[in-house]
Amino acid sequence: MDLEDFNSAPEADIRATLLACCDVRSWSDAVIDGRPYADATDALRAAGTAALAFTPADVDRALAAHPRIGERATGASTEAAWSRREQSGVASDAETQAALLAGNAAYEERFDRVFLINAAGLDATAVLAELHRRLENTPDAEAAEVARELRGIALRRLARVLELEEQLTERNS
């Protein structure tokens, strides 16, 4: 969707799109309330600022929409399709899949939440290394990392909606 469509679409339509990017109502409200945007970069900037206000409850709610890393999201929803695309590089052999499963279990045991990583462009080796590194975090440090990863996923998805994903990818390279 281009910026004109984003700015002019009915609130309910944009809300559904934004909640597919990140299931945090206060975030979607802030992005909607900022319309109209002068350009797509302004929309991303406003979304990024709004994402800085994620509370622990917001993060927990949003995590419920994310599958475990290495597990393919099922269903026909926008969120599931995006998740499958983002995790496409995490496809792995049986040994790596078992390591991801064990890592996910250890992470969930330690932090009582699913491991969240902005997996777009990462392969299974990089994801596993990051999972093992983050298992050493304190709970507070990990909560901060999870919120940062969630913000990254939300902004990448919004960039995709606004047809800016290539620019975002180039900027982060």
Side-chain angles (χ1 to χ4, degrees):
M1 120 182 351
D2 65 19
L3 182 67
E4 184 177 330
D5 292 338
F6 186 81
N7 280 334
S8 64
E11 184 175 313
D13 293 348
I14 293 302
R15 182 172 315 288
T17 298
L18 290 169
L19 291 175
C21 293
C22 184
D23 192 8
V24 174
R25 180 77 183 221
S26 60
W27 178 77
S28 69
D29 288 346
V31 176
I32 289 167
D33 290 348
R35 294 186 312 164
Y37 293 100
D39 59 43
T41 302
D42 285 344
L44 280 177
R45 187 177 303 112
T49 299
L52 291 172
F54 286 165
T55 67
D58 292 336
V59 172
D60 288 343
R61 176 180 170 83
L63 285 176
H66 288 271
R68 286 177 181 87
I69 194 75
E71 292 181 0
R72 288 194 50 84
T74 59
S77 70
T78 300
E79 301 97 308
W82 284 344
S83 181
R84 286 189 297 271
R85 178 179 172 180
E86 292 158 357
Q87 288 197 39
S88 64
V90 185
S92 57
D93 57 38
E95 183 179 331
T96 305
Q97 191 63 34
L100 283 169
L101 182 65
N104 281 328
Y107 183 92
E108 289 174 28
E109 175 71 24
R110 174 144 167 71
F111 296 112
D112 197 30
R113 66 168 64 100
V114 298
F115 173 69
L116 184 74
I117 186 168
N118 190 350
L122 300 179
D123 64 15
T125 302
V127 168
L128 270 172
E130 195 58 11
L131 192 159
H132 290 292
R133 181 192 67 76
R134 287 175 48 192
L135 277 168
E136 300 301 318
N137 280 347
T138 65
D140 288 343
E142 184 54 22
E145 280 208 51
V146 170
R148 189 170 41 254
E149 293 292 324
L150 182 61
R151 285 191 295 273
I153 292 167
L155 294 179
R156 177 174 298 283
R157 289 177 175 183
L158 181 56
R160 185 176 304 135
V161 166
L162 296 171
E163 302 170 356
L164 290 176
E165 188 175 25
E166 277 186 22
Q167 292 174 23
L168 183 65
T169 302
E170 290 170 8
R171 232 179 283 138
N172 291 336
S173 297

